[in-house]
Amino acid sequence: MELLRFATAGSVDDGKSTLIGRLLYDSKAIFEDQMEAVERASVQRGEETNLALLVDGLRAEREQGITIDVAYRYFATPARSFVIADTPGHVQYTRNMVTGASTADLALILVDARNGIVEQSRRHAFLASLLRVPHLVVCINKMDLVGYDQEVFEAIKAEFRAFAMRMDVTDLSFVPVSALHGDNVVHRSAAMPWYEGSSLIHHLEQVHIASDRNLIDVRFPVQYVIRPRSDEHHDFRGYAGQLAGGVLRPGDEVVVLPSGWSTVVESVETADGPVHEAFAPMSVVVRLADDLDVSRGDLICRPHNRPVVGQDLEAMVCWLDEKHLQPGGRYAIQHTTRSARAVVKELIYRLDVNTLHRDEGAPTLALNEIGRLSLRTTAPVFYDEYRRNRSTGSFILIDEATNATVAAGMLLDPAHVG
Amino acid sequence: MTQLDTSPSVPVYQLSHLRALEAESIHIFREVVATFERPVLLFSGGKDSVVMLRLAQKAFWPARLPLTVMHIDTGHNFPEVLEFRDRKVSELGVRMVVASVQASIDAGRVADEPGRSRNRLQTTTLLDAIAEHRFDAVFGGARRDEEKARAKERVFSFRDEFGQWDPKNQRPELWNLYNGRHRPGEHIRVFPLSNWTELDIWRYIAEEGIEIPAMYYAHRRQVVRRDGMLMGLCQWIQPGEGEEVTEVTVRYRTVGDATCTAAVESAAATPEEVIAEVAATRVTERGATRADDRFSEAAMEDRKKEGYF
């Protein structure tokens, strides 16, 4: 059984909570005591049973009737296990959406059939494409309120496709649903015989994600050096880490960055025994044929397929902190298992997430704003373009005075940087 | 699946969901040990902490576990769990710290309320022990699927100098980049099992053949029915007035403080039978077995803000 992580974004009005509630309820992931607690709380507030209360876990969220933070939800069908990163939809929670999308295989975007595509739908689609979520599913919800009309569905679909073409969206699907009545959520709906695609859950079970990972460029950031120094494993020296790309096998010729020394993979080990190959996201221990000086933050790759090595970076960043970006400011940067300092050389432009307009005169980035930055780091970073590898292409910036995580960055190809 | 994917000439590089969760947890353990000075793993002998310990072992194999383990001992233990805890710790040869709630009570740090569970009192003992031993990273076995406040928890969860959790001011956590920075006196709680569900834990126990205390499997036990829950008789639970003692076949879905952990009627005697039972159950494990979470809608959130597990 495979694991699929998907992100949803939306507000209560879109029927997002109802949809999630239905996915959880119909897959038996909501339990009776949780349902009773929701019913009790709803009665106390004088409301009808409000499935949003299942998802909104914090007191402040229930009081205000909004989702503030990312909530993680879990359910499984016989075909797959699912992790939902459920995030609020409003523009003031862009950072939460970015967080939820960062690890998602798929993004679910809700559109209210009565309203068609609104600013929020465009923003969600843009954020999913910015974070390189490989699959996008647009649920056109509340079909019951437009008489299950195929024309409404087709018109929204065409409009969405038209603007998605301007973005980097690789796999786009549309499902007409009524979350409230369950049409096309778990079972194909009898009310929409004109729809020939699969139900939402069937789509989530079947979407092909195995090839989304990069299996071409071997990238092994060293996390930790294992040296037992025990009688049994006296000379054992292994490099522990999680494959960030490619397939690594014993016998492979490799180089270690930054030293550039080349050697051969002697074995790839796990606590359950050696393996004949390792691929992302496996956590393994790599042993090398030669005794080299390798430590945390180094990167193992193939000699003819190396990442970019550089100190001058360009990236799209989402600003995550109340305190604005300081052009010229210094931050700590965390990239794979490597830490350094970075100075912000320039804010190249700020991007309006609703219109995609680039403001080249913007002085700073505030919370939830997205822009393109150039940075210089105190030590070389071994990276790939984010669109090629989400792991070696991403970083975070940390304010060294407050220790807060202030930005999420997606690196751009230096060939396009100029 | 299309023909292409299953063709033997095209290998399918795909991990099962359990192996993907395992790889994620191992990565978390290694990040912490590589970047913190004094990490500690909370070990109670309960199934989640046993699985956590197994994952930690795997992360550093073939080296010995570079961690201290700590048990917050409420003094109200199931004796078989204490025996199990001591045996596991001695097998692994790791250092164990036992921080005692009774000692906190005796020292006047907290006041015991007779007849009430000591669950909430553990927070003081835990925070005192973290301060005393200057632990900077504390591994806990909490899972996001357990409870709605836990669903909002980060993998690396920052605690201020008072050990408090501020749910409205959490660090964003993206990709697999964890920000563990903190000042002296502050610490980070780390939850390597964040994305595991109760069913995943059981499937892993079955797949790996992990030993857990026998009370997780069906056995005969004398119980009283209290607030709709089955409380097993022991040193701490005695029948009250008008309570009838019966012997039933039960198992425990969670193992915590003996005064507030209930049993469920069950005939599941093996991991496989437990998996079948958990897959079919319609009540969460905390709802079925934890008297402490029934106080209010926000009981867990309130305890967590104070510094609870």
Side-chain angles (χ1 to χ4, degrees):
Chain A
M1 194 161 69
E2 240 180 339
L3 185 68
L4 181 114
R5 297 175 198 245
F6 71 93
T8 60
S11 47
V12 179
D13 310 335
D14 303 328
K16 181 196 65 167
S17 298
T18 317
L19 180 67
I20 291 180
R22 184 154 291 279
L23 283 174
L24 298 177
Y25 195 81
D26 288 352
S27 63
K28 294 188 166 46
I30 289 178
F31 297 97
E32 280 165 13
D33 55 320
Q34 289 175 315
M35 203 61 202
E36 280 165 19
V38 165
E39 279 162 7
R40 261 201 317 276
S42 303
V43 167
Q44 219 159 48
R45 298 148 138 267
E47 297 171 356
E48 280 181 53
T49 300
N50 179 355
L51 283 173
L53 295 176
L54 273 171
V55 178
D56 296 334
L58 300 175
R59 193 195 295 273
E61 293 178 317
R62 287 192 301 273
E63 281 166 5
Q64 297 172 43
I66 51 163
T67 312
I68 296 170
D69 204 341
V70 186
Y72 294 91
R73 290 272 150 197
Y74 304 82
F75 73 100
T77 67
R80 260 185 189 164
S81 269
F82 299 93
V83 180
I84 312 176
D86 179 21
T87 65
H90 299 293
V91 68
Q92 65 266 38
Y93 300 112
T94 299
R95 69 166 175 173
N96 308 86
M97 278 179 266
V98 167
T99 301
S102 73
T103 50
D105 301 303
L106 181 148
L108 200 95
I109 293 180
L110 272 155
V111 173
D112 186 326
R114 294 170 306 173
N115 305 333
I117 290 162
V118 293
E119 187 180 275
Q120 181 160 290
S121 338
R122 288 178 222 273
R123 189 173 66 247
H124 294 171
F126 168 68
L127 292 175
S129 84
L130 181 72
L131 271 292
R132 301 296 301 171
V133 180
H135 308 275
L136 204 58
V137 177
V138 182
C139 274
I140 299 171
N141 190 24
K142 307 195 185 180
M143 286 300 293
D144 52 315
L145 299 182
V146 294
Y148 297 106
D149 186 349
Q150 181 178 9
E151 274 177 33
V152 174
F153 173 71
E154 294 297 341
I156 295 174
K157 188 170 149 181
E159 192 188 343
F160 201 105
R161 272 200 193 286
F163 83 80
M165 275 171 65
R166 292 162 54 203
M167 301 170 189
D168 239 336
V169 177
T170 42
D171 175 32
L172 181 60
S173 319
F174 297 87
V175 188
V177 302
S178 163
L180 193 64
H181 300 293
D183 296 282
N184 286 334
V185 176
V186 173
H187 303 291
R188 288 277 303 277
S189 165
M192 290 175 274
W194 45 265
Y195 173 67
E196 290 175 346
S198 31
S199 70
L200 175 61
I201 198 91
H202 190 254
H203 186 81
L204 294 174
E205 287 179 334
Q206 296 300 322
V207 61
H208 185 67
I209 55 168
S211 51
D212 295 341
R213 279 161 300 131
N214 181 320
L215 294 167
I216 296 160
D217 314 314
V218 172
R219 300 288 183 262
F220 185 73
V222 174
Q223 229 188 330
Y224 184 75
V225 182
I226 294 182
R227 296 192 61 189
R229 294 193 185 92
S230 59
D231 291 343
E232 197 190 339
H233 300 282
H234 190 73
D235 296 320
F236 188 100
R237 187 187 174 93
Y239 305 105
Q242 188 170 26
L243 259 290
V247 181
L248 194 63
R249 298 183 182 87
D252 280 352
E253 201 185 316
V254 291
V255 292
V256 182
L257 299 176
S259 69
W261 294 109
S262 52
T263 181
V264 168
V265 174
E266 188 176 277
S267 62
V268 180
E269 314 258 1
T270 72
D272 299 309
V275 292
H276 67 279
E277 56 189 8
F279 51 90
M282 285 170 71
S283 281
V284 296
V285 176
V286 173
R287 300 186 72 189
L288 301 176
D290 297 291
D291 256 337
L292 303 175
D293 178 15
V294 181
S295 54
R296 176 174 168 86
D298 291 359
L299 184 128
I300 294 171
C301 62
R302 303 294 304 268
H304 302 296
N305 178 342
R306 303 183 185 209
V308 184
V309 179
Q311 286 174 258
D312 291 296
L313 314 175
E314 271 202 32
M316 295 302 295
V317 305
C318 175
W319 200 255
L320 309 170
D321 200 48
E322 302 275 358
K323 212 166 106 190
H324 297 186
L325 161 80
Q326 305 242 296
R330 281 165 205 280
Y331 297 93
I333 181 169
Q334 256 179 253
H335 171 263
T336 66
T337 57
R338 219 168 155 74
S339 293
R341 283 200 175 90
V343 58
V344 176
K345 289 199 313 200
E346 192 193 350
L347 170 61
I348 299 164
Y349 58 79
R350 180 174 65 197
L351 194 70
D352 184 316
V353 289
N354 293 321
T355 62
L356 304 189
H357 172 74
R358 296 173 178 188
D359 181 358
E360 289 175 7
T364 184
L365 291 179
L367 176 65
N368 293 313
E369 290 185 339
I370 287 168
R372 181 163 171 164
L373 293 187
S374 64
L375 301 154
R376 180 162 175 86
T377 56
T378 52
V381 174
F382 321 127
Y383 70 96
D384 295 285
E385 187 188 8
Y386 182 75
R387 49 175 296 153
R388 185 147 181 100
N389 190 318
R390 288 168 95 189
S391 189
T392 54
S394 55
F395 65 84
I396 55 172
L397 295 182
I398 295 165
D399 181 327
E400 290 191 295
T402 63
N403 287 333
T405 304
V406 296
M410 290 141 278
L411 288 156
L412 297 162
D413 184 348
H416 299 159
V417 169
Chain B
M1 286 285 151
T2 63
Q3 195 116 45
L4 245 182
D5 302 325
T6 50
S7 146
S9 61
V10 180
V12 178
Y13 295 105
Q14 191 175 313
L15 287 185
S16 75
H17 90 285
L18 275 188
R19 295 301 147 189
L21 291 172
E22 181 189 60
E24 178 181 81
S25 301
I26 288 175
H27 174 261
I28 293 163
F29 273 108
R30 289 169 174 170
E31 279 302 285
V32 171
V33 168
T35 57
F36 287 79
E37 279 168 25
R38 301 168 76 88
V40 67
L41 182 147
L42 294 173
F43 182 65
S44 62
K47 67 180 191 319
D48 299 319
S49 70
V50 178
V51 165
M52 186 165 66
L53 198 58
R54 166 66 63 97
L55 291 163
Q57 265 180 285
K58 284 194 171 195
F60 302 102
W61 176 92
R64 265 178 42 176
L65 201 58
L67 292 170
T68 300
V69 303
M70 176 159 75
H71 181 213
I72 305 301
D73 180 356
T74 62
H76 298 156
N77 297 296
F78 294 101
E80 58 264 53
V81 178
L82 277 196
E83 178 277 322
F84 176 87
R85 175 199 79 183
D86 292 341
R87 187 159 49 80
K88 279 292 139 198
V89 165
S90 100
E91 274 170 26
L92 288 172
V94 289
R95 182 171 83 102
M96 177 167 68
V97 171
V98 177
S100 151
V101 174
Q102 187 61 51
S104 302
I105 293 168
D106 295 345
R109 299 278 298 136
V110 289
D112 201 11
E113 293 173 61
R116 280 289 286 273
S117 131
R118 289 180 167 180
N119 208 341
R120 194 166 197 144
L121 305 186
Q122 294 180 94
T123 301
T124 303
T125 309
L126 171 65
L127 295 178
D128 286 352
I130 290 170
E132 182 192 337
H133 297 276
R134 293 188 291 117
F135 293 128
D136 53 2
V138 182
F139 288 104
R143 309 185 319 263
R144 287 176 180 151
D145 82 317
E146 275 182 80
E147 203 280 331
K148 56 187 181 293
R150 291 213 193 282
K152 306 269 162 161
E153 183 63 275
R154 302 293 188 259
V155 173
F156 273 39
S157 180
F158 172 78
R159 300 303 153 105
D160 68 10
E161 59 197 309
F162 301 103
Q164 298 179 106
W165 180 57
D166 182 357
K168 285 201 268 183
N169 190 24
Q170 299 197 76
R171 293 175 180 173
E173 203 159 71
L174 298 102
W175 300 290
N176 60 354
L177 296 171
Y178 302 107
N179 175 0
R181 286 172 186 251
H182 61 280
R183 299 189 189 91
E186 300 169 343
H187 71 275
I188 305 286
R189 298 285 173 86
V190 184
F191 301 106
L193 303 180
S194 286
N195 289 321
W196 295 60
T197 64
E198 184 187 16
L199 206 48
D200 295 332
I201 295 288
W202 277 107
R203 289 194 174 121
Y204 196 70
I205 288 169
E207 219 175 282
E208 295 272 309
I210 296 172
E211 187 198 353
I212 53 171
M215 59 195 289
Y216 278 111
Y217 302 108
H219 58 283
R220 299 289 289 173
R221 191 175 284 252
Q222 291 202 307
V223 298
V224 292
R225 278 176 209 277
R226 196 171 285 176
D227 301 331
M229 296 195 181
L230 295 180
M231 304 302 290
L233 289 194
C234 62
Q235 193 184 343
W236 321 108
I237 299 280
Q238 291 298 321
E241 237 183 63
E243 282 183 328
E244 190 194 339
V245 177
T246 49
E247 193 182 278
V248 277
T249 301
V250 296
R251 66 174 203 88
Y252 284 80
R253 275 177 82 184
T254 66
V255 169
D257 183 282
T259 61
C260 67
T261 306
V264 292
E265 274 188 81
S266 167
T270 64
E272 289 72 21
E273 287 169 9
V274 173
I275 288 168
E277 185 187 281
V278 170
T281 189
R282 302 299 302 133
V283 182
T284 63
E285 60 180 13
R286 295 199 82 89
T289 65
R290 290 297 178 96
D292 49 328
D293 283 341
R294 296 188 152 191
F295 291 139
S296 88
E297 234 191 320
M300 176 66 87
E301 182 179 343
D302 292 342
R303 269 183 288 144
K304 278 180 63 64
K305 282 178 182 167
E306 291 167 6
Y308 187 72
F309 304 112

